[in-house]
Amino acid sequence: MRFVLFLSCILTFILANTINEKTKNLEENKRIQEQLNKKLEDLASDILNGEKSLKELSLQIQTLNSQTSKLEESAKLQNKELNTLNNQNKELLQNKALMENKLVSLIAKDFAYDLPIPQGYIESEESFMAFEVLENVDKVLREEIFNLSKNYEEVSRLIDEKQEQIKNIHLSLKNYNEQISKLRDLRQKQVDEINKQKTDRAIYTKKLEDLKAQQDELRNTLNQLKIIENKEQEEKKTANQNISKAPNNNQTIRQIGSSYQGTNIKKYTGKKTIAPLDSFVVKQKFGNYVDPIYNIKIFNENVVLRSKKSDATVKSVLDGKVVFAKDTSMLQRVVIVEHSDGVHTIYAHLDKIAPTIKAGKNIKKGAVLGRIKNDLTFEVTQKNFHINPLELISLN
C-alpha cells in the first residue's frame, strides 16, 4: 500500500512538472507569434527595451553579488557564533534546571523548619538549645536560598541575552538567504531575457531578410513587365547589401532597398480614390526607415496595410487592365493593374486571387481582386517613379 502511494506521488510530481513545462512552452509560442505579427519598428523597440532591461538586471546582479559576498563572510561567522551560543544556552538551561530543583529542595527544608509548635509542648533546656540550632539552620538556609535566587536571576538574564542574540542572528541569516534567493531569481530572469532577445533578434533579422527578398522579387517582376526600368546590376548589388552582414550600432548607416529613391519618387497630386481594403491600419509606411538594431537604412517602396477583419476582400482602387495575376515564391499571390497615365497599382501577399481576375482583363474601380487573411502589400508606380500609396487613397 505504501509503495502504491509512493508511486502515485512520484507520478503526480512528474505530471505536474510536465504540465508546467508545456504551459511555459505554450506561453513562449504565444509570445513568439505575437512578435512575428508586430511591425518592424515595434519589434525593434522591444529588442532595445530588452537590452535596456538586461543592462539594469546586470547592474542589480552586480550590486547583489557585492552585498552577498559581504553577507556571506558575516553569515559564516554568525553560523559559528550561533553554534557557540546554542551550546552556551544549553549549559545555562541545564544549570537553571538544577537551580530550580535546588531551590525547591531548600524552600521545602526551610518550610519544614518553620512548622508550628504542637499544642501541649513544654519547653526545656534541651528544647531551647534545639530551637537555637534550628534558628541557625534556618538562617543558613535563607542565605543559601537568597544567593541561589540571585544566581538563578543572573542565569535567567544570561539566557534571555543569548536568546536575543540568537534571534538577531537568525534574522540576519534570513536576510542573507533572502538575498541569495533574490540573486538566484535575478539570474534566472537574466537567462530568460537573453533567450527572449535571441528569439526576437532572429525574428527581426528574418523580417529584414524577407523584406529585402520581397523587394527584389517585386522589382524583378516590375522590370520584366517594363513597369520600372532596370538599373545596372552592379549598382543594384552595391545598394542591396546582405543584411546578414549588418554592422554594429557604432558603425555608419548602410542602405537596403532601391538606390533610385532620391530621384525616382514622385508626389501624387491627383484626386483621392478608394482604398483597397474597407477597414485597415497602416502596418508599414512608405519611405525611409532607419533600423535602430543594425543601423541599416531601409527604403520601403510600398505600404503594408493590416485589415481589421480576417479574410478581407481586396479591391482595385482605379479602373484599369490586369497585367499580372500569378503566384510568386516570396510575395504569395500578386495582382498588378495598369491604369491611365502610366499608373500601376500592385497588390501582393494575396491569399486568393478572384477567379475572374486574369492578365489582359479590363476591370472597374472597386472590382474584387482577391482576398487576404491579414496583411496586404500595396505599391503604386507611375512611369518609372514610385508614389506613396497613402497619397493616392482615402484613409477614412
Side-chain angles (χ1 to χ4, degrees), residues 165-178:
Q165 287 176 346
I166 289 169
K167 181 184 173 183
N168 291 334
I169 288 173
H170 276 302
L171 285 173
S172 181
L173 289 173
K174 183 185 175 185
N175 179 47
Y176 169 70
N177 289 327
E178 284 173 355

Side-chain angles (χ1 to χ4, degrees), residues 218 222 301-303 344-347 377-381 386 389:
L218 195 50
L222 295 176
E301 299 164 350
N302 46 53
V303 293
H344 287 82
T345 53
I346 299 100
Y347 311 81
T377 299
F378 182 48
E379 189 168 327
V380 180
T381 66
H386 270 77

Side-chain angles (χ1 to χ4, degrees), residues 105-118 130-142 144-145:
S105 176
L106 287 172
I107 290 168
K109 286 179 182 178
D110 186 48
F111 177 75
Y113 292 133
D114 281 341
L115 288 173
I117 297 169
F131 275 116
E132 284 289 327
V133 170
L134 285 172
E135 282 180 11
N136 287 330
V137 169
D138 185 54
K139 185 178 178 182
V140 169
L141 285 172
R142 289 183 184 278
E144 194 171 347
I145 289 170

Side-chain angles (χ1 to χ4, degrees), residues 2 15 24 53 82 85 107-108 110 120 187 190 205 229 275 331 345 355:
R2 286 184 181 178
L15 184 62
K24 285 180 183 177
S53 176
L82 185 62
L85 285 170
I107 290 168
D110 186 48
R187 282 175 176 159
Q190 187 184 45
T205 303
E229 288 181 7
L331 298 160
T345 53

Side-chain angles (χ1 to χ4, degrees), residues 140-368:
V140 169
L141 285 172
R142 289 183 184 278
E143 284 179 2
E144 194 171 347
I145 289 170
F146 177 74
N147 291 331
L148 194 58
S149 296
K150 281 182 69 178
N151 290 338
Y152 182 81
E153 285 177 7
E154 179 63 18
V155 168
S156 296
R157 186 186 65 78
L158 285 172
I159 289 170
D160 289 342
E161 282 183 5
K162 301 292 182 189
Q163 290 282 31
E164 187 63 29
Q165 287 176 346
I166 289 169
K167 181 184 173 183
N168 291 334
I169 288 173
H170 276 302
L171 285 173
S172 181
L173 289 173
K174 183 185 175 185
N175 179 47
Y176 169 70
N177 289 327
E178 284 173 355
Q179 291 280 77
I180 292 290
S181 178
K182 189 176 177 182
L183 184 61
R184 194 184 301 115
D185 290 344
L186 279 175
R187 282 175 176 159
Q188 185 57 51
K189 193 175 177 182
Q190 187 184 45
V191 169
D192 293 342
E193 190 61 45
I194 287 169
N195 289 334
K196 283 182 182 178
Q197 281 288 87
K198 285 178 181 176
T199 304
D200 288 354
R201 279 182 175 271
I203 293 170
Y204 188 83
T205 303
K206 184 70 169 59
K207 277 179 180 279
L208 289 178
E209 289 172 348
D210 287 349
L211 181 62
K212 179 186 177 299
Q214 289 168 17
Q215 283 187 347
D216 286 347
E217 183 169 299
L218 195 50
R219 285 286 296 173
N220 289 334
T221 303
L222 295 176
N223 288 333
Q224 290 168 13
L225 295 169
K226 308 294 183 185
I227 294 171
I228 294 289
E229 288 181 7
N230 199 5
K231 296 288 181 181
E232 291 182 8
Q233 292 299 319
E234 287 303 315
E235 183 180 339
K236 183 181 176 184
K237 196 178 288 184
T238 305
N240 295 334
Q241 297 179 62
N242 195 318
I243 63 170
S244 63
K245 297 177 182 178
N248 294 325
N249 285 349
N250 59 352
Q251 292 176 297
T252 56
I253 293 173
R254 293 189 302 165
Q255 178 181 306
I256 287 181
S258 303
S259 60
Y260 56 87
Q261 58 178 298
T263 54
N264 285 33
I265 298 174
K266 187 176 183 180
K267 188 168 181 64
Y268 179 77
T269 55
K271 189 179 178 182
K272 293 270 187 180
T273 187
I274 63 169
L277 297 170
D278 288 332
S279 58
F280 61 91
V281 292
V282 179
K283 185 178 177 182
Q284 175 185 292
K285 294 179 181 178
F286 177 84
N288 285 329
Y289 167 66
V290 178
D291 152 44
I293 307 301
Y294 300 115
N295 276 350
I296 298 171
K297 191 174 185 180
I298 302 165
F299 185 77
N300 297 318
E301 299 164 350
N302 46 53
V303 293
V304 176
L305 308 178
R306 166 151 286 191
S307 175
K308 290 184 179 179
K309 59 180 183 179
S310 61
D311 197 31
T313 56
V314 178
K315 298 174 291 185
S316 176
V317 299
L318 294 165
D319 295 348
K321 183 172 77 171
V322 177
V323 294
F324 186 91
K326 290 182 182 179
D327 288 1
T328 64
S329 58
M330 291 297 301
L331 298 160
Q332 293 176 270
R333 295 161 183 84
V334 178
V335 173
I336 300 175
V337 183
E338 184 180 57
H339 310 283
S340 60
D341 202 20
V343 174
H344 287 82
T345 53
I346 299 100
Y347 311 81
H349 288 112
L350 299 174
D351 291 287
K352 296 175 185 175
I353 295 177
T356 57
I357 299 301
K358 308 288 181 186
K361 182 180 176 66
N362 291 316
I363 57 172
K364 292 290 184 181
K365 180 171 77 171
V368 175

Side-chain angles (χ1 to χ4, degrees), residues 1-9:
M1 183 67 185
R2 286 184 181 178
F3 175 74
V4 173
L5 187 62
F6 176 70
L7 187 61
S8 175
C9 289

